[in-house]
Amino acid sequence: MALQIASEEEMLHYRAMLQIALDEARTGRAEGGVPIGAAMFDAAGQLLASGRNRRVQQDDPSIHGETDAFRRAGRQRSYKDKIMVTTLAPCWYCSGLVRQFGICTVVVGESRTFSGGIEWLRDLGVKVIDLDSTECRELLEGFIAERPEVWNEDIGEE
């Protein structure tokens, strides 16, 4: 599928949204966890909730950044107009969440470190905007260098 194009105004809006996810990622890193943050917004750009990967902190393999933000947002009548913002391309588990609930827009901080399921989501018609953030990439790369075993566990590698 073709690369998703966004206007300059949309890109500025998405970058501002990403800052909330980045703050969550930094908090997770300070807690000793995997530095991946996420935030969920409505179509008007209002923050519904933010979250972070808490697998290490809560000893729960299901608490990824996207699932944490999704859970904290609470029940929604519909998810089709929601925007999921995440510092890293969503893994297959989190991509499945996007697909299951019909979230139509995903903003990704970066996908160079890990591309997850973004092409699959694009093939399904999800608008995926990759901001290619150096800040997101460097935060995660630093963690991977220090704790490769935790990172490999997070993405299901041995």
Side-chain angles (χ1 to χ4, degrees):
M1 184 168 208
L3 184 63
Q4 300 289 334
I5 306 295
S7 72
E8 190 172 323
E9 184 177 326
E10 284 177 312
M11 293 299 283
L12 287 172
H13 193 61
Y14 292 148
R15 289 186 191 286
M17 292 172 158
L18 180 62
Q19 288 307 306
I20 294 168
L22 253 170
D23 288 345
E24 287 283 353
R26 287 187 199 104
T27 298
R29 180 74 170 105
E31 295 170 343
V34 180
I36 300 172
M40 202 160 118
F41 296 85
D42 67 16
Q46 294 297 310
L47 177 66
L48 298 173
S50 62
R52 60 187 168 276
N53 186 306
R54 298 173 193 258
R55 291 178 52 260
V56 172
Q57 299 93 311
Q58 294 187 12
D59 197 29
D60 181 343
S62 70
I63 306 178
H64 288 205
E66 298 89 340
T67 61
D68 194 35
F70 179 81
R71 288 173 178 161
R72 289 169 179 260
R75 290 176 57 204
Q76 303 292 315
R77 186 170 187 86
S78 173
Y79 295 90
K80 294 190 184 324
D81 64 341
K82 304 305 182 269
I83 302 166
M84 179 65 75
V85 180
T86 179
T87 57
L88 181 67
C91 68
W92 287 105
Y93 169 58
C94 295
S95 294
L97 179 141
V98 168
R99 170 64 178 97
Q100 174 70 29
F101 290 94
I103 297 169
C104 290
T105 304
V106 176
V107 176
V108 174
E110 69 102 355
S111 64
R112 291 181 191 220
T113 307
F114 180 76
S115 62
I118 61 173
E119 289 308 318
W120 178 66
L121 290 172
R122 284 180 174 141
D123 288 346
L124 292 170
V126 175
K127 181 179 181 179
V128 178
I129 305 298
D130 188 341
L131 298 177
D132 196 25
S133 165
T134 301
E135 192 173 5
C136 289
R137 189 178 71 251
E138 288 176 351
L139 181 63
L140 187 57
E141 285 175 350
F143 177 81
I144 293 169
E146 291 173 24
R147 308 225 19 226
E149 72 289 350
V150 175
W151 169 247
N152 288 335
E153 177 187 327
D154 196 63
I155 60 170
E157 301 285 323
E158 290 195 32

